[in-house]
Amino acid sequence: MANINPNQEREQWGSKIGFILAAAGSAVGLGNLWKFPYMAGKNGGGAFVLVYFIILFLVGFTLMLAEIVLGRYTQLNAIGAYRKIRKRWAWVGGLGVLAGFLILSFYSVVGGWVINYLVKALSGALNITDAEVLGNMFGELISGTTVPIFYHGVFMLATLLIVLGGIGGGIEKSNKILMPGLFIMVIILAIRAMTLPGAVKGIKYLLIPDFSKLTIGVVLDALGQVFFSLSLGMGCMITYGSYLSKDTNIPQSATIIPLIDTGVALLAGLAVLPAVFAFGFEPSAGPGLIFITFPAVFAQMPLGTFFAVMFFVLVLFAALSSSISLLEVCVSYVVDEWKINRKTATIGLGLILFLIGIPCSLSLGPWADFHILPDKGFFDTFDFVSSNILLPLGGLLLCIFVGWIWGTDNAIEEATNGGTLEFKLAGIWSFLVKYVGPVAIAIVFMRSLI
């Protein structure tokens, strides 16, 4: 139970709102802006949204609280947190650090695409209504050599510079700009989309449940989306929780963060689906919603270039708020465990991640025929291993660890600041983390492997 670096003063969040915005920023990412509208479109709209909200409480809140409590109690990185309580469980934290590392290596490539499209939007190059032409443009970008790697480098540099500033001066300060900016832009885009002729059909589709569409597949998709949307199982919330002061109301924070994340996802749905319906596009178009469908939609709108620019700034903000948390998980580990200063750790990791991202980018173009797993190049392999194996396995073991190894009584003691805070749902949370969470995540895990 030895503490790591006991004499080193640990950085802390400057304010409660700073932590909430940073943690919400970690959860809010590209998945909120394309995957939630896509999953809702694919799964009958309102029925999916209703199930999503139920699972958000049962699984999202449960794991969010477990991770934050574990981080605040130990004041350590993801690996150190497990080790402090049970030395043999340190490897579970290692799964989270590895997941964050792998995800950021290819997430940065996608972030680079977003910057490239922001440049295209500013120049008016996206003012095209033909989805086929836009599809060819996107295909040309991702299968290229130097251009996507250059923009991947720009995105990684932006992430690195924010994390270099530390918790208060870098991550907290940037999220106080990124998150309110993100909210303002997604609200404006949602209002614009909802006022388009024919948009009512999309609004009804998203908000009014059609229970005839409710199947076990919809429930499983909602379960998977909640889990992956909240950045659970990768040590982000353990790491961010470790910078919390002891007087923070964790149950309150663990409630607000998933609600912010879901609010952004719902607003994104109101920005995407009404516009998609208004212009007769397919609501289940997948990642192409961002890079193909939406540019075609904007090109048909009055002030389309302005809204296209706003949209890609919004997507960039969402991507950055997540990427800085992924890099911070790795930096925190290196600083705590290897005793390397933040500047050296951040620059070193940023450079390594940039280099690893190069084969991820090339695997979608010149290296497309080189496979690591069957039919999967670097990009798809890293995505599969992190999203389908490391994250659900990390989440499952987190529930077992907090529920049965450390014990929910100890976790509740920490969450209530030694009994000084009221936590009315303590008994329900204890049941959820011990029984519901592990079963739900095991289902996600098995389904993701199949």
Side-chain angles (χ1 to χ4, degrees), residues 31 33 36 41 55 63 98 113 130 133 184 187 192 197 200 223 241 244 273 328 358-359 369 372 385 405 443 447:
L33 301 182
F36 183 87
I55 294 172
L63 266 76
L98 178 59
W113 302 344
D130 190 330
V133 174
I184 290 166
I187 288 168
R192 181 67 193 98
V200 174
L223 184 58
L244 279 175
L273 292 177
E328 180 58 29
I358 292 173
D369 294 332
I372 300 175
V385 170
I405 306 299
I443 292 168
R447 189 167 189 252

Side-chain angles (χ1 to χ4, degrees), residues 360-391:
C360 288
S361 181
L362 293 175
S363 69
L364 300 173
W367 294 6
D369 294 332
F370 179 80
H371 297 150
I372 300 175
L373 293 177
D375 299 320
K376 295 185 191 299
F378 282 94
F379 190 108
D380 291 336
T381 296
F382 285 8
D383 185 12
F384 178 82
V385 170
S386 55
S387 300
N388 294 55
I389 298 173
L390 296 177
L391 292 190

Side-chain angles (χ1 to χ4, degrees), residues 184-334:
I184 290 166
M185 283 184 287
V186 77
I187 288 168
I188 292 170
L189 285 166
I191 291 170
R192 181 67 193 98
M194 288 188 291
T195 53
L196 289 168
V200 174
K201 189 178 177 184
I203 298 168
K204 286 181 176 177
Y205 184 80
L206 182 69
L207 298 181
I208 299 174
D210 178 357
F211 293 106
S212 68
K213 301 282 178 70
L214 201 55
T215 64
I216 188 65
V218 172
V219 174
L220 292 174
D221 277 350
L223 184 58
Q225 177 65 12
V226 166
F227 185 78
F228 296 118
S229 177
L230 292 175
S231 301
L232 300 170
M234 65 177 76
C236 286
M237 296 305 154
I238 294 176
T239 304
Y240 276 14
S242 74
Y243 301 120
L244 279 175
S245 63
K246 289 293 183 181
D247 60 352
T248 303
N249 188 327
I250 294 178
Q252 187 183 70
S253 299
T255 305
I256 294 171
I257 294 161
L259 289 176
I260 291 176
D261 177 74
T262 304
V264 171
L266 205 53
L267 284 168
L270 288 170
V272 171
L273 292 177
V276 166
F277 272 95
F279 290 103
F281 286 100
E282 176 56 50
S284 56
L289 275 173
I290 285 181
F291 298 105
I292 301 168
T293 307
F294 243 58
V297 167
F298 290 130
Q300 297 176 60
M301 281 186 189
L303 297 174
T305 299
F306 168 77
F307 286 109
V309 170
M310 180 180 285
F311 176 72
F312 283 106
V313 171
L314 163 69
V315 178
L316 179 59
F317 277 21
L320 273 174
S321 65
S322 292
S323 68
I324 57 181
S325 70
L326 291 167
L327 182 55
E328 180 58 29
V329 168
C330 304
V331 168
S332 178
Y333 161 69
V334 170

Side-chain angles (χ1 to χ4, degrees), residues 45 74 79 93 106 109 115 175 209 212 228 275 326 368 371 373 392 402 416:
T74 59
I79 293 176
F106 67 82
V109 173
I115 296 175
N175 274 294
S212 68
F228 296 118
L326 291 167
H371 297 150
L373 293 177
V402 172
T416 58

Side-chain angles (χ1 to χ4, degrees), residues 65-147:
L65 183 74
E67 286 207 21
I68 296 172
V69 164
L70 187 57
R72 212 268 300 268
Y73 173 75
T74 59
Q75 298 282 289
L76 293 167
N77 65 87
I79 293 176
Y82 282 96
R83 183 193 288 120
K84 182 175 180 180
I85 295 169
R86 285 289 186 278
K87 191 174 182 180
R88 291 180 181 176
W89 280 72
W91 65 275
V92 176
L95 294 177
V97 174
L98 178 59
F101 187 86
L102 291 178
I103 290 169
L104 186 51
S105 68
F106 67 82
Y107 195 87
S108 177
V109 173
V110 180
W113 302 344
V114 175
I115 296 175
N116 177 270
Y117 264 67
L118 176 56
V119 172
K120 282 185 167 77
L122 285 164
S123 69
L126 294 181
N127 194 22
I128 300 166
T129 56
D130 190 330
E132 188 177 343
V133 174
L134 287 163
N136 292 335
M137 180 190 288
F138 180 55
E140 190 177 310
L141 169 66
I142 67 172
S143 62
T145 304
T146 54
V147 173

